[in-house]
Amino acid sequence: MLALVDTPRDKLRFVEIYNNTKELSFKAAYDILKDFGDAEDCVQNTFFYIASHFKKVKGLPQSEIESFVVTLSEGLAFEAAQKKQRVFTL
């Protein structure tokens, strides 16, 4: 994921954001999915999205980044739950 972030300074900022919010992301996803592996996948997808859009995210205050990470993680978890439910109903 760090390859998606341009400068060394931005890479440090990304790592800082990751370290400060990865547990929030996991909790948000796990609360919805109730599955450790699926929640970890959501965390990975959350931070892939953040790395892909880092220019928009890097300047946000920490409180907004935390809210964004939780909202994004929840959205991805809901999508994953819907996909999983569709597979079971086919």
Side-chain angles (χ1 to χ4, degrees), residues 20-51:
N20 289 336
T21 59
K22 65 184 175 189
E23 291 174 7
L24 289 172
S25 177
F26 181 83
K27 183 180 179 335
Y30 186 81
D31 285 349
I32 293 164
L33 296 167
K34 307 293 188 223
D35 181 273
F36 191 87
D38 289 344
E40 284 184 331
D41 289 344
C42 280
V43 172
Q44 183 175 2
N45 292 337
T46 296
F47 287 99
F48 179 80
Y49 181 91
I50 290 171

Side-chain angles (χ1 to χ4, degrees), residues 25-26 28-29 32 42-43 46 68-78:
S25 177
F26 181 83
I32 293 164
C42 280
V43 172
T46 296
F68 178 69
V69 166
V70 168
T71 302
L72 182 56
S73 297
E74 288 173 340
L76 292 170
F78 280 122

Side-chain angles (χ1 to χ4, degrees), residues 1-11 51 54-55 58:
M1 274 186 264
L2 281 177
L4 297 171
V5 180
D6 295 329
T7 67
R9 185 176 185 176
D10 285 349
K11 290 179 193 288
F54 196 69
K55 289 179 182 178
K58 70 181 180 181

